[in-house]
Short mmCIF file of all heavy atoms in Angstrom, two decimals:
data_model
loop_
_atom_site.label_atom_id
_atom_site.label_comp_id
_atom_site.label_asym_id
_atom_site.label_seq_id
_atom_site.Cartn_x
_atom_site.Cartn_y
_atom_site.Cartn_z
N GLU W 1 84.30 67.38 80.57
CA GLU W 1 84.45 68.82 80.57
C GLU W 1 84.01 69.41 81.88
O GLU W 1 84.58 70.40 82.34
CB GLU W 1 83.62 69.41 79.42
CG GLU W 1 83.63 70.91 79.31
CD GLU W 1 85.03 71.50 79.14
OE1 GLU W 1 85.93 70.82 78.70
OE2 GLU W 1 85.22 72.75 79.43
N THR W 2 83.00 68.81 82.51
CA THR W 2 82.59 69.22 83.86
C THR W 2 83.71 69.02 84.84
O THR W 2 84.03 69.88 85.65
CB THR W 2 81.32 68.46 84.32
OG1 THR W 2 80.30 68.61 83.35
CG2 THR W 2 80.87 68.99 85.69
N CYS W 3 84.36 67.89 84.71
CA CYS W 3 85.53 67.54 85.54
C CYS W 3 86.62 68.62 85.40
O CYS W 3 87.17 69.13 86.34
CB CYS W 3 86.06 66.18 85.18
SG CYS W 3 87.30 65.48 86.22
N ARG W 4 86.93 68.97 84.14
CA ARG W 4 87.96 69.96 83.88
C ARG W 4 87.59 71.33 84.38
O ARG W 4 88.42 72.04 85.05
CB ARG W 4 88.20 70.06 82.35
CG ARG W 4 89.44 70.90 81.98
CD ARG W 4 89.46 71.16 80.48
NE ARG W 4 88.59 72.21 80.12
CZ ARG W 4 88.88 73.51 80.15
NH1 ARG W 4 90.05 73.90 80.60
NH2 ARG W 4 87.95 74.40 79.78
N GLN W 5 86.33 71.72 84.22
CA GLN W 5 85.91 73.04 84.71
C GLN W 5 85.98 73.14 86.26
O GLN W 5 86.37 74.19 86.79
CB GLN W 5 84.48 73.34 84.22
CG GLN W 5 84.35 73.62 82.75
CD GLN W 5 84.96 74.97 82.36
OE1 GLN W 5 85.23 75.80 83.23
NE2 GLN W 5 85.19 75.15 81.10
N LEU W 6 85.63 72.10 86.90
CA LEU W 6 85.72 72.08 88.38
C LEU W 6 87.14 72.23 88.83
O LEU W 6 87.42 72.96 89.80
CB LEU W 6 85.08 70.83 88.97
CG LEU W 6 83.55 70.69 88.82
CD1 LEU W 6 83.07 69.36 89.36
CD2 LEU W 6 82.84 71.85 89.54
N ALA W 7 88.05 71.58 88.16
CA ALA W 7 89.49 71.67 88.52
C ALA W 7 90.03 73.05 88.23
O ALA W 7 90.72 73.67 89.02
CB ALA W 7 90.29 70.59 87.79
N VAL W 8 89.71 73.57 87.03
CA VAL W 8 90.23 74.86 86.60
C VAL W 8 89.70 76.00 87.47
O VAL W 8 90.35 76.97 87.73
CB VAL W 8 89.84 75.13 85.14
CG1 VAL W 8 90.09 76.59 84.72
CG2 VAL W 8 90.65 74.22 84.22
N ASN W 9 88.44 75.80 88.04
CA ASN W 9 87.88 76.81 88.86
C ASN W 9 88.15 76.57 90.36
O ASN W 9 87.56 77.23 91.22
CB ASN W 9 86.37 76.87 88.64
CG ASN W 9 86.05 77.58 87.33
OD1 ASN W 9 85.99 78.82 87.29
ND2 ASN W 9 85.80 76.85 86.28
N GLY W 10 89.05 75.65 90.67
CA GLY W 10 89.53 75.53 92.00
C GLY W 10 88.67 74.72 92.96
O GLY W 10 88.87 74.77 94.16
N ILE W 11 87.68 73.99 92.44
CA ILE W 11 86.78 73.19 93.30
C ILE W 11 87.48 72.01 93.89
O ILE W 11 87.24 71.59 95.00
CB ILE W 11 85.56 72.76 92.52
CG1 ILE W 11 84.86 74.01 91.86
CG2 ILE W 11 84.53 72.05 93.42
CD1 ILE W 11 84.43 75.06 92.83
N GLY W 12 88.38 71.40 93.13
CA GLY W 12 89.09 70.22 93.58
C GLY W 12 90.17 69.87 92.55
O GLY W 12 90.43 70.61 91.60
N TYR W 13 90.79 68.72 92.77
CA TYR W 13 91.83 68.25 91.86
C TYR W 13 91.29 67.10 91.02
O TYR W 13 90.37 66.40 91.43
CB TYR W 13 93.13 67.88 92.58
CG TYR W 13 93.00 66.73 93.53
CD1 TYR W 13 93.31 65.41 93.16
CD2 TYR W 13 92.54 66.93 94.87
CE1 TYR W 13 93.21 64.35 94.05
CE2 TYR W 13 92.46 65.87 95.75
CZ TYR W 13 92.77 64.60 95.36
OH TYR W 13 92.70 63.54 96.23
N ALA W 14 91.89 66.90 89.84
CA ALA W 14 91.41 65.89 88.92
C ALA W 14 92.59 65.32 88.15
O ALA W 14 93.69 65.90 88.07
CB ALA W 14 90.42 66.49 87.93
N VAL W 15 92.35 64.12 87.61
CA VAL W 15 93.34 63.53 86.67
C VAL W 15 92.79 63.63 85.28
O VAL W 15 91.68 63.05 85.01
CB VAL W 15 93.63 62.06 87.04
CG1 VAL W 15 94.53 61.41 85.95
CG2 VAL W 15 94.33 61.94 88.42
N LEU W 16 93.46 64.36 84.42
CA LEU W 16 92.90 64.67 83.09
C LEU W 16 93.87 64.36 81.95
O LEU W 16 95.04 64.55 82.16
CB LEU W 16 92.46 66.13 83.00
CG LEU W 16 91.32 66.57 83.92
CD1 LEU W 16 91.20 68.12 83.90
CD2 LEU W 16 90.03 65.92 83.50
N PRO W 17 93.38 63.90 80.82
CA PRO W 17 94.25 63.69 79.66
C PRO W 17 94.68 64.96 79.05
O PRO W 17 93.96 65.98 79.07
CB PRO W 17 93.40 62.84 78.68
CG PRO W 17 92.00 63.14 79.09
CD PRO W 17 91.99 63.41 80.54
N SER W 18 95.87 64.96 78.44
CA SER W 18 96.39 66.20 77.90
C SER W 18 95.56 66.82 76.79
O SER W 18 95.59 68.02 76.57
CB SER W 18 97.83 65.96 77.37
OG SER W 18 97.83 64.86 76.44
N ILE W 19 94.76 65.98 76.07
CA ILE W 19 93.92 66.51 75.04
C ILE W 19 92.90 67.49 75.51
O ILE W 19 92.44 68.33 74.78
CB ILE W 19 93.20 65.29 74.30
CG1 ILE W 19 92.59 65.79 72.97
CG2 ILE W 19 92.18 64.66 75.18
CD1 ILE W 19 91.98 64.63 72.18
N THR W 20 92.53 67.41 76.80
CA THR W 20 91.53 68.34 77.37
C THR W 20 92.15 69.64 77.90
O THR W 20 91.39 70.59 78.17
CB THR W 20 90.79 67.64 78.50
OG1 THR W 20 91.67 67.41 79.60
CG2 THR W 20 90.19 66.33 78.06
N LEU W 21 93.47 69.70 78.08
CA LEU W 21 94.11 70.81 78.75
C LEU W 21 94.53 71.88 77.76
O LEU W 21 94.94 71.61 76.66
CB LEU W 21 95.32 70.30 79.51
CG LEU W 21 95.02 69.21 80.56
CD1 LEU W 21 96.31 68.75 81.26
CD2 LEU W 21 94.04 69.74 81.64
N ARG W 22 94.44 73.12 78.23
CA ARG W 22 94.84 74.29 77.40
C ARG W 22 96.01 74.96 78.01
O ARG W 22 96.20 74.93 79.26
CB ARG W 22 93.66 75.24 77.31
CG ARG W 22 92.37 74.62 76.76
CD ARG W 22 91.17 75.51 76.93
NE ARG W 22 89.97 74.84 76.54
CZ ARG W 22 88.73 75.29 76.78
NH1 ARG W 22 88.61 76.45 77.35
NH2 ARG W 22 87.66 74.62 76.39
N GLU W 23 96.83 75.58 77.22
CA GLU W 23 98.03 76.16 77.67
C GLU W 23 97.78 77.31 78.68
O GLU W 23 98.53 77.53 79.61
CB GLU W 23 98.85 76.77 76.52
CG GLU W 23 99.47 75.69 75.62
CD GLU W 23 100.35 76.28 74.54
OE1 GLU W 23 100.54 77.54 74.55
OE2 GLU W 23 100.84 75.55 73.71
N ASP W 24 96.63 77.98 78.53
CA ASP W 24 96.34 79.13 79.41
C ASP W 24 95.47 78.72 80.61
O ASP W 24 95.00 79.58 81.39
CB ASP W 24 95.62 80.25 78.64
CG ASP W 24 94.33 79.78 77.99
OD1 ASP W 24 94.03 78.55 77.98
OD2 ASP W 24 93.57 80.63 77.45
N ASP W 25 95.24 77.44 80.83
CA ASP W 25 94.49 77.01 82.03
C ASP W 25 95.29 77.38 83.31
O ASP W 25 96.45 76.98 83.42
CB ASP W 25 94.25 75.45 82.04
CG ASP W 25 93.13 75.07 81.11
OD1 ASP W 25 92.28 75.92 80.77
OD2 ASP W 25 93.14 73.87 80.73
N PRO W 26 94.71 78.16 84.26
CA PRO W 26 95.42 78.66 85.41
C PRO W 26 95.53 77.59 86.50
O PRO W 26 95.05 77.76 87.62
CB PRO W 26 94.55 79.84 85.82
CG PRO W 26 93.17 79.41 85.47
CD PRO W 26 93.30 78.65 84.19
N VAL W 27 96.19 76.44 86.19
CA VAL W 27 96.31 75.36 87.12
C VAL W 27 97.69 74.74 87.04
O VAL W 27 98.41 74.98 86.06
CB VAL W 27 95.25 74.23 86.85
CG1 VAL W 27 93.86 74.74 87.21
CG2 VAL W 27 95.34 73.78 85.43
N ASN W 28 98.05 74.02 88.07
CA ASN W 28 99.26 73.19 88.04
C ASN W 28 98.98 71.93 87.29
O ASN W 28 97.95 71.24 87.58
CB ASN W 28 99.74 72.89 89.45
CG ASN W 28 99.99 74.16 90.29
OD1 ASN W 28 100.62 75.08 89.76
ND2 ASN W 28 99.47 74.21 91.51
N LYS W 29 99.81 71.54 86.40
CA LYS W 29 99.65 70.32 85.57
C LYS W 29 100.83 69.39 85.90
O LYS W 29 101.96 69.61 85.44
CB LYS W 29 99.62 70.69 84.10
CG LYS W 29 98.47 71.66 83.75
CD LYS W 29 98.63 72.21 82.34
CE LYS W 29 97.63 73.36 82.09
NZ LYS W 29 97.88 74.01 80.84
N ILE W 30 100.56 68.37 86.70
CA ILE W 30 101.63 67.51 87.21
C ILE W 30 101.60 66.21 86.45
O ILE W 30 100.65 65.47 86.52
CB ILE W 30 101.37 67.23 88.72
CG1 ILE W 30 101.27 68.57 89.48
CG2 ILE W 30 102.51 66.38 89.31
CD1 ILE W 30 100.56 68.45 90.83
N PRO W 31 102.66 65.87 85.74
CA PRO W 31 102.71 64.64 84.97
C PRO W 31 102.76 63.45 85.90
O PRO W 31 103.46 63.45 86.93
CB PRO W 31 103.97 64.75 84.14
CG PRO W 31 104.85 65.74 84.88
CD PRO W 31 103.89 66.69 85.54
N LEU W 32 101.96 62.42 85.60
CA LEU W 32 101.94 61.18 86.42
C LEU W 32 102.96 60.21 85.84
O LEU W 32 102.65 59.40 84.96
CB LEU W 32 100.52 60.62 86.41
CG LEU W 32 99.43 61.54 86.96
CD1 LEU W 32 98.08 60.87 86.89
CD2 LEU W 32 99.77 62.03 88.32
N THR W 33 104.19 60.29 86.30
CA THR W 33 105.28 59.46 85.81
C THR W 33 105.81 58.51 86.89
O THR W 33 105.58 58.73 88.08
CB THR W 33 106.44 60.35 85.30
OG1 THR W 33 106.85 61.21 86.39
CG2 THR W 33 105.97 61.20 84.16
N ASP W 34 106.51 57.49 86.42
CA ASP W 34 107.17 56.56 87.40
C ASP W 34 108.59 57.05 87.68
O ASP W 34 108.99 58.14 87.30
CB ASP W 34 107.11 55.14 86.86
CG ASP W 34 107.83 55.00 85.53
OD1 ASP W 34 108.62 55.88 85.20
OD2 ASP W 34 107.58 54.02 84.83
N GLY W 35 109.35 56.16 88.30
CA GLY W 35 110.73 56.54 88.64
C GLY W 35 111.63 56.79 87.52
O GLY W 35 112.64 57.49 87.67
#
């Protein structure tokens, strides 16, 4: 949750599971997919 809060508040970027993310989080959510 600390990791998520730092990312949501613009401190840095993080890799987070979808279970932690909320629809209204003001961040870019980039899926980590292959080709």
Side-chain angles (χ1 to χ4, degrees):
E1 178 60 19
T2 305
C3 189
R4 191 190 78 86
Q5 287 290 344
L6 292 177
V8 169
N9 285 279
I11 306 303
Y13 62 96
V15 173
L16 295 171
S18 53
I19 193 176
T20 66
L21 302 176
R22 303 168 187 169
E23 290 185 5
D24 58 351
D25 283 339
V27 290
N28 302 313
K29 303 166 188 173
I30 306 160
L32 301 180
T33 57
D34 60 18

